[in-house]
Amino acid sequence: MAEDTTRKVELGVYQRPEEEPKITATEMIAAILSLLWLAMTAGYFMIMGTGKGTGDFDSIRFVMMLIAIFMPVAMIWVGALAVRSARTMREESHRLQAAISAMRQSYLAQQSGGTVQASVEQKLEEIAAAQRKTQNTLATFTSIRPGQTPPEDKLAIPAPALIEEQGSLALGTPSETLAPPLSVADFIKALNFPETAEDKEGFRALRRALSDRKVSQLIHAAQDVLTLLSQDGIYMDDLRPDRAKPEIWRRFAKGERGHSVAALGGVRDRSSLALANARMKQDAIFRDAVHHFLRKFDKTFAEFEQTASDEEIAALSDCRTARAFMLLGRVTGTFD
């Protein structure tokens, strides 16, 4: 149960939580009580009549009758609104505690340099162990050009770089160096992060990506900025950026800047841009996390672009990490 709760909090960073229904049980009960009171009042006047009175209009008696009729209704709805406000405050308090916990974990990760990573890897290992018990045969319908390697087999990082690193292996080599190379399909899926707590394929890809030293640094940097952005209500699933052509991404990977790559800043959401820009100026921790993330994305994408096809670059540009890069890149003037 604790593991499921932790996973839900983490997934809340990448997509907006579901909104509560506009009409709750409290409002329904208040409406029923109000109708019941009005029906009883109407029945009273129908049975008792208006009295024999003199026929003169008594304004004080009329006002007192209105107060007697509508005051209980007003008190019912004041109580209903108080209950709804209390529930809202509790939910906001839970979200604030989750945000503070995420900031604390990010801070401890920077200080200890691996405690949080070990915890995440342990959870992913448990998920992968449960997944191995089920049949893992997936049908792929990807159209492959002649001579093109499938994304499941193609490496995300160019092979020469891997061979150069493996040539210096010796006794005592860290386990992450001996991990199998990361495929393009797992690389893109990991940068998009799992969709839900039941996305076993997404968690498998994320676990494999965390075993790669270079890619894991980018994933941790992306998770930090996505956590900080979610505190201001900025979620990558809400953004619908203008898509740039793969050739523009290739120009950026080769070092071009300015007007030729300005299309990469395709995020048009004014509120998200304004909130991120204001926090860049006021929050030094957020500013450092953003610059660290931009450097890691720039360096990793430059290596990825060397062997990636146009379709793979287009798929990468639509993931949550790439959307964060387009948003923050525009805020910091990376594409100017």
Side-chain angles (χ1 to χ4, degrees), residues 139-292:
T140 58
F141 299 94
T142 306
S143 58
I144 304 174
R145 297 179 181 178
Q148 182 180 354
T149 305
E152 293 78 6
D153 301 329
K154 188 176 181 180
L155 303 184
I157 304 299
L162 294 174
I163 296 175
E164 183 178 352
E165 291 185 1
Q166 292 177 357
S168 59
L169 294 179
L171 294 177
T173 302
S175 59
E176 59 268 16
T177 307
L178 300 175
L182 183 65
S183 67
V184 170
D186 288 341
F187 175 72
I188 297 175
K189 189 178 292 292
L191 291 184
N192 193 51
F193 294 97
E195 295 289 345
T196 63
E198 290 74 27
D199 186 5
K200 295 182 179 180
E201 192 67 20
F203 279 102
R204 184 195 64 80
L206 183 60
R207 177 179 174 275
R208 293 197 61 186
L210 288 173
S211 64
D212 186 285
R213 181 174 56 86
K214 293 182 179 180
V215 179
S216 65
Q217 294 176 358
L218 173 59
I219 290 177
H220 287 303
Q223 191 168 17
D224 289 341
V225 296
L226 290 175
T227 301
L228 295 172
L229 287 172
S230 68
Q231 296 170 6
D232 289 333
I234 303 175
Y235 298 91
M236 298 303 101
D237 289 356
D238 296 338
L239 301 180
R240 295 294 182 268
D242 299 336
R243 290 197 175 188
K245 296 181 179 179
E247 61 184 27
I248 299 178
W249 284 96
R250 294 187 187 277
R251 293 176 186 174
F252 179 82
K254 297 183 185 303
E256 291 189 25
R257 298 295 184 270
H259 180 72
S260 60
V261 296
L264 297 183
V267 177
R268 308 297 180 186
D269 191 304
R270 295 183 179 180
S271 61
S272 298
L273 291 170
L275 289 171
N277 189 31
R279 191 162 185 180
M280 280 289 295
K281 297 178 181 179
Q282 300 173 2
D283 192 341
I285 296 178
F286 178 76
R287 186 166 54 250
D288 293 341
V290 168
H291 288 303
H292 176 68

Side-chain angles (χ1 to χ4, degrees), residues 6-48:
T6 303
R7 195 181 303 165
K8 289 181 181 178
V9 171
E10 293 175 353
L11 291 175
V13 172
Y14 316 122
Q15 55 190 11
R16 185 180 296 276
E18 296 181 359
E19 297 180 356
E20 64 177 16
K22 295 182 179 179
I23 300 177
T24 62
T26 303
E27 283 77 10
M28 292 293 295
I29 295 174
I32 293 173
L33 291 177
S34 300
L35 294 175
L36 182 61
W37 171 255
L38 293 176
M40 292 173 61
T41 305
Y44 172 79
F45 283 106
M46 290 176 64
I47 295 174
M48 300 301 295

